[in-house]
Amino acid sequence: MKRIALGLALLLLYACSQDPQESTNNNVDATEQEQTDGWVHGAMATAANPHAVAAATEMLEKGGHAVDAAIAAHAVLGLVEPQSSGLGGGAFLLVYERETGDLDFYDGREVAAAGATVDMFMRDGQVMSFVEAWQSGKSVGVPGAVALYQYSHEQHGRLPWADLFAPAIRLATDGFEVSPRLAKYLPMMEERSRLAKNPDTAAYFYPGGKALQVGDLLKNPDYAETLSRIATEGISAFYTGEVAESIAASAQAEPNGGTLTAADMEAYTVSARPVICGAFRDLNICTTSPPSSGGAQIMIAALYDHLSADAAGPMDKISAFVDAQRLAYADRDHYFGDPDEIDIPLDDLLNPEYIRHRATERIAPAAVPTPGDPVMVLHGEPTANRWSPDTTEEAAGTTHLSIIDADGNAISMTATIEGFFGSQRWASGFLLNNEMTDFAREVPADGSRPANAVAPGRRPRSSMSPSMVFDANGDLMMVTGSPGGNSIPAYVAKTIVGVLDWGMSAQEAVDHPNIIARGENVRVEISVDPGQAIASDLKEKGYNVQERDGENSGLHIIVVGPDGLDGAADKRREGVVRTVQKGQ
Ligand code: DON
């Protein structure tokens, strides 16, 4: 599996590489690297919580690989940022090995239980509301994060397995202070969800019937116990036995229980999938293939390149970015799903000739963008009608980590439990995901099916798009990714275009107003400068603009620049960036 992934990634990388002397890119200190044949920039970690970044840097200081740091950091995030991701959820991990140039994508996405059915979210011909589906046991998929830890550690890890869990076990045992973001969501969740009603989550998040407050010391002995067992016994302590049984029992619990069983848990496997790369000028954007939506990053950047070619100024570049998103989202929505189950014309969607053609299908600003037909354009065979229109509805609990280790190896990892606090169902010290609501829940009565329909054993489509950019020499120049549900492709694309075309630093690109153009509306974050000016310009150009007071991005990115590593954490969440100097 690994060799196949590497083969494809490398083929695409080298197909776009060119002689170092001809490179026009001056963002990377390639000469110094060539001279030393080593990594001179030190290590860096950025993630959504300071405790998680401290766990990552603890591993990096011990000489750990970026993968060791990612596992340690994510085990901490599952504790201190339980609303966003954890052991009960899934993740996508993109890993770069600097010495070999290898790139791997490990898919730890949740899988539908064997008992899942295409119409499990339908009742009397009507689709269940998102809120009902979200907190139902049907929404719980087999969690993949823990299997992903083991799989990636076997391939890349340097530190002993058990050491990776020490920071999280320490924090869970000794306690940690409840963060403002965690505290902020609890009253809202009390009103809108079952978090304060399900006995285990009520006892943990609302002790004595009162929501936890900022600064409260929170301990989680069950989490410490589960992690200690994983640390000493390996992942069989999670996928079989008591923990697996507690997950199945929680998913099956009434009201509105699901079908997930201990046998589903035992059957879980990580998938090593192809990394996909595509050119942006003389650079290469590499990202995760379906069921991830990484491909949308390549499409947005390539479409933007065509559409912005005649831009008269910065505002025209923004509308080109908007149009690129609208076209790419329409294709993503229509064609992406589980690649093991459906035939996705991915190569054709990413083909530069199709992209060139698609860029000419510029859609009127207020119109609903329709999907293109890459197979028709390239091979004369209509295929868009193979699938019915997408009905997937995605809501906002996910997190992103970017890490570069002291040898220049890197990870980009987006991890999720789907909605805030996942399904609000609890097992062995952690929340269970509601990832199955990432499927198209509505089933067309005419028997047609969207590409992202539910099926047993299937992985739902994901918007998560961990990505990396490489320069013309094939050297790493950027690691990026974000949470944010179906806005993820827009958030991440903003950092890629912002750094590579708008001349921004990592922090400037993260801070820039988010602009999300999916369907007939364009959302603009006006609470951040120059959001209001962008919104006014787009309105004048005829777009349906929705002004937003804030956006839920959680961009954690690292740019490899001439002066070393330039990292950024998204001020919209609670993240930090920390550097570790080589040899520390
Ligand atoms: O995999 C997905 O696309 C979604 N489950 C991600 C949800 C998300 O990012 C929520 N973020 N705040």
Side-chain angles (χ1 to χ4, degrees), residues 109 394-398 416 418-420 435 438 461-464 483-485 488 552 573:
R109 185 76 166 156
E394 297 169 58
T398 303
T416 181
E418 214 304 286
F420 288 124
E435 222 69 48
D438 272 0
R461 183 184 80 203
S462 173
S463 291
M464 300 190 294
I488 293 173
N552 203 18
R573 298 201 179 202

Side-chain angles (χ1 to χ4, degrees), residues 23-86:
S23 170
T24 50
N25 165 45
N26 58 6
N27 281 346
V28 175
D29 196 352
T31 323
E32 191 173 358
Q33 274 185 30
E34 264 162 35
Q35 279 167 1
T36 61
D37 194 30
W39 179 256
V40 293
H41 301 301
M44 183 177 267
T46 174
N49 182 284
H51 290 298
V53 174
T57 52
E58 189 179 320
M59 299 302 138
L60 294 171
E61 281 162 7
K62 285 197 214 172
H65 189 281
V67 162
D68 295 316
I71 296 168
H74 186 252
V76 168
L77 285 169
L79 176 72
V80 299
E81 197 200 28
Q83 69 272 22
S84 295
S85 77

Side-chain angles (χ1 to χ4, degrees), residues 38 44 112-113 138 158 236 270 379 412 448 508 529 534 543 554 570:
M44 183 177 267
K138 297 170 177 53
R158 284 187 199 143
S236 60
V270 169
H379 312 290
S412 182
S448 65
E508 285 167 348
D529 262 351
I534 291 170
Y543 292 91
D570 200 324

Side-chain angles (χ1 to χ4, degrees), residues 417-560:
I417 51 171
E418 214 304 286
F420 288 124
F421 300 85
S423 59
Q424 306 118 59
R425 288 168 185 252
W426 188 259
S428 304
F430 53 87
L431 287 161
L432 300 183
N433 69 85
N434 66 297
E435 222 69 48
M436 301 300 99
T437 61
D438 272 0
F439 280 117
R441 289 178 286 113
E442 188 170 347
V443 183
D446 63 5
S448 65
R449 294 288 175 260
N452 189 33
V454 187
R458 187 177 280 186
R459 296 174 192 226
R461 183 184 80 203
S462 173
S463 291
M464 300 190 294
S465 322
S467 302
M468 297 188 192
V469 181
F470 294 84
D471 71 10
N473 301 318
D475 290 329
L476 179 67
M477 60 179 296
M478 185 170 178
V479 184
T480 182
S482 182
N486 61 39
S487 304
I488 293 173
Y491 295 157
V492 178
K494 175 194 72 170
T495 61
I496 293 178
V497 172
V499 170
L500 304 184
D501 192 57
W502 301 342
M504 294 177 172
S505 67
Q507 194 66 56
E508 285 167 348
V510 168
D511 292 348
H512 188 272
N514 284 305
I515 302 164
I516 306 97
R518 178 173 180 240
E520 72 265 52
N521 298 317
V522 185
R523 296 204 323 257
V524 181
E525 192 179 27
I526 55 158
S527 43
V528 181
D529 262 351
Q532 191 64 70
I534 291 170
S536 304
D537 182 73
L538 290 172
K539 275 187 207 164
E540 252 171 55
K541 288 176 172 152
Y543 292 91
N544 286 329
V545 174
Q546 293 178 336
E547 298 189 349
R548 305 268 299 187
D549 268 340
E551 275 294 327
N552 203 18
S553 58
L555 289 153
H556 296 105
I557 80 170
I558 304 176
V559 176
V560 186

Side-chain angles (χ1 to χ4, degrees), residues 204-410:
Y204 185 69
F205 293 109
Y206 304 89
K210 207 171 140 277
L212 291 166
Q213 304 288 307
V214 181
D216 282 355
L217 188 74
L218 185 57
K219 295 182 184 176
N220 187 339
D222 291 345
Y223 192 79
E225 164 72 19
T226 299
L227 276 187
S228 301
R229 290 193 50 196
I230 292 170
T232 52
E233 295 165 38
I235 67 165
S236 60
F238 184 87
Y239 287 98
T240 59
E242 256 173 66
V243 176
E245 279 157 22
S246 74
I247 291 171
S250 179
Q252 290 175 21
E254 295 302 330
N256 215 352
T259 61
L260 194 146
T261 62
D264 289 320
M265 290 292 297
E266 198 167 353
Y268 187 85
T269 55
V270 169
S271 285
R273 299 196 184 275
V275 174
I276 48 174
C277 298
F280 177 68
R281 300 177 190 158
D282 63 342
L283 311 173
N284 224 345
I285 298 172
C286 293
T287 184
T288 46
S289 56
S292 158
S293 293
Q297 292 310 317
I298 297 172
M299 292 188 75
I300 294 172
L303 286 163
Y304 169 80
D305 206 21
H306 286 289
L307 296 168
S308 63
D310 54 0
M315 285 302 181
D316 283 357
K317 287 194 169 200
I318 296 275
S319 40
F321 181 53
V322 163
D323 288 337
Q325 280 191 41
R326 301 175 79 221
L327 294 166
Y329 263 114
D331 283 0
R332 189 291 298 243
D333 290 355
H334 192 72
Y335 291 103
F336 281 28
D338 185 339
D340 295 337
E341 298 264 324
I342 60 162
D343 191 11
I344 305 169
L346 187 64
D347 289 347
D348 290 342
L349 283 163
L350 302 180
N351 186 310
E353 209 180 307
Y354 171 65
I355 297 277
R356 202 173 304 119
H357 172 91
R358 186 78 170 126
T360 63
E361 295 181 344
R362 214 168 182 156
I363 295 152
V368 181
T370 48
D373 196 333
V375 189
M376 181 68 200
V377 169
L378 298 174
H379 312 290
E381 293 161 32
T383 49
N385 57 1
R386 193 187 301 161
W387 309 113
S388 61
D390 182 44
T391 56
T392 313
E393 247 187 274
E394 297 169 58
T398 303
T399 200
H400 183 83
L401 305 78
S402 292
I403 301 173
I404 299 182
D405 69 24
D407 294 314
N409 308 310

